[in-house]
Amino acid sequence: MKEYRKHLTAVLLAIISIAVLAGCNSDAGKASGKSDPLKVHIALNGKMGPLVIAKEKGLFNEEFSKLDAQIVWSEFPSGPPLLESLASNRVDLSFLGDGALIAGIDKNLPFEVIAQTGRGESSVRILAQAEGNIKQIEDLKGKTVGVASGTTGHVYLIKALKAHGLTTDDIKLINLQPDDAQAAFETKQLDAWAIWNPYYLNNIEKGNAVALKVKGKILAPGAIIARNGFAKAHPEIVEAYLKVYKKAADWQMPVSTVKTIITAEKPNIFFTEDAIKAQQESIDTLAGVGYIKKSFNFKKQIHNEYIDEAFKK
């Protein structure tokens, strides 16, 4: 019996020693700060823009490493598919064109508007076949027009048609994501196409298309967004994101490169009154055609606290 007790005591002491050592090792790991970095899910929306520049040039690396954060990139062809991932908490930071932005707010999706991407003066055009018979917006009546539903191109198309006395009921509207629409346009399955850069400039420069003139000036301002829960838990990451976004937007390139790759318009992440007004007009337009349930005040959706903190003087 004594031998048994001695054996049992030895086993218990060994178990306790292992537990203590494991605890010490765990505490040592925490004390040394070797915990896994925070994973930040950033979504690219489209093929070009400041986020693409930031990713390719590694601009996030230095800023985020200071905060022990690591980026997980994802890519979407347009805003509506991105909204689906945002709703399921798979996107923390990104940007949206006005169509997806308005739809997301209308559906009460969990994101905050924290800055704008620009006034959107030159971001979208309606292209027609270069050798076709469509010379003006009025010629679109009865024609097949491609656009990705719910995108900034969709909003632009609705506004352009309205400015010329038409509605989407006057055309044959085909819902196509950009790459699919590109193939359809090249094979002349589409008479016209409402699309953003770099697609419209590439097609014009190749001689495949002409851009139709629209009455007045149609602004299509986009917005930089942050997922609600993430922004509240990590405001310092949101502020760092805005700093890097602006750095990428301000990155100096030859004018010809800017025109071809991004847009002829200089990005501006600070909301302007004309951009807010244009966004409100888009909201009212989409509510009028039944695309969203009802209109809402866009200015009240803007959260300036992050950009104010990021760029405070």
Side-chain angles (χ1 to χ4, degrees):
M1 179 65 74
K2 288 182 179 180
E3 291 300 321
Y4 174 76
R5 286 176 180 172
K6 286 182 181 179
H7 178 72
L8 181 59
T9 301
V11 171
L12 289 173
L13 286 172
I15 292 172
I16 291 169
S17 298
I18 292 169
V20 169
L21 286 171
C24 289
N25 288 338
S26 176
D27 290 340
K30 290 178 182 177
S32 65
K34 292 182 179 178
S35 58
D36 291 336
L38 172 71
K39 285 185 167 47
V40 183
H41 294 80
I42 300 181
L44 298 174
N45 180 2
K47 292 183 179 296
M48 286 297 167
L51 272 189
V52 176
I53 292 173
K55 180 177 182 290
E56 294 302 318
K57 291 182 67 64
L59 298 182
F60 279 103
N61 297 344
E62 181 180 355
E63 197 72 32
F64 274 39
S65 64
K66 298 175 189 175
L67 302 169
D68 196 24
Q70 179 182 354
I71 298 174
V72 179
W73 293 99
S74 57
E75 186 171 353
F76 298 86
S78 65
L82 192 157
L83 288 179
E84 296 174 13
S85 285
L86 186 66
S88 58
N89 297 329
R90 287 179 289 155
V91 171
D92 298 320
L93 298 163
S94 190
F95 68 93
L96 293 169
D98 56 350
L101 177 71
I102 293 166
I105 294 173
D106 179 63
K107 294 174 182 175
N108 294 314
L109 293 187
F111 67 83
E112 297 177 3
V113 178
I114 58 173
Q116 72 170 18
T117 58
R119 296 168 70 245
E121 186 174 343
S122 59
S123 58
V124 183
R125 292 290 184 273
I126 298 175
L127 301 181
Q129 296 288 347
E131 298 178 358
N133 57 4
I134 298 175
K135 307 300 181 185
Q136 55 188 0
I137 297 293
E138 288 81 359
D139 296 336
L140 292 175
K141 190 169 185 177
K143 297 297 193 297
T144 301
V145 182
V147 71
S149 180
T151 63
T152 187
H154 191 188
V155 178
Y156 185 93
L157 177 61
I158 293 171
K159 286 183 173 181
L161 291 172
K162 183 180 179 181
H164 292 261
L166 299 174
T167 71
T168 51
D169 292 334
D170 294 310
I171 62 175
K172 297 173 184 176
L173 194 63
I174 306 296
N175 178 18
L176 291 171
Q177 288 297 324
D179 286 344
D180 293 330
Q182 177 69 62
F185 190 80
E186 287 178 354
T187 56
K188 295 184 170 51
Q189 296 176 63
L190 295 177
D191 299 308
W193 179 21
I195 190 59
W196 50 85
N197 266 328
Y199 293 95
Y200 86 70
L201 277 173
N202 285 344
N203 280 276
I204 289 173
E205 290 178 357
K206 288 178 181 177
N208 297 336
V210 293
L212 301 180
K213 291 183 179 180
V214 178
K215 290 179 183 177
K217 183 183 291 185
I218 297 178
L219 299 183
I224 302 171
I225 62 160
R227 184 170 58 80
N228 287 349
F230 182 87
K232 286 180 174 59
H234 307 287
E236 74 286 354
I237 300 290
V238 176
E239 292 156 21
Y241 170 74
L242 287 171
K243 288 178 183 177
V244 176
Y245 191 103
K246 187 176 187 302
K247 184 177 181 180
D250 291 343
W251 186 57
Q252 294 299 310
M253 292 185 294
V255 174
S256 59
T257 306
V258 173
K259 182 179 178 183
T260 302
I261 296 180
I262 306 175
T263 175
E265 175 191 346
K266 184 178 179 181
N268 176 19
I269 70 172
F270 299 91
F271 275 103
T272 56
E273 287 301 319
D274 57 348
I276 293 172
K277 181 182 177 182
Q279 200 70 275
Q280 190 61 53
E281 289 173 355
S282 295
I283 292 166
D284 296 340
T285 297
L286 292 180
V289 299
Y291 185 76
I292 60 175
K293 296 189 290 290
K294 61 180 180 180
S295 183
F296 55 85
N297 187 323
F298 179 69
K299 199 166 189 175
K300 291 183 178 179
Q301 301 292 326
I302 300 171
H303 290 256
N304 282 320
E305 59 266 30
Y306 301 102
I307 200 168
D308 289 343
E309 186 66 24
F311 298 102
K312 63 184 179 181
K313 297 180 181 179

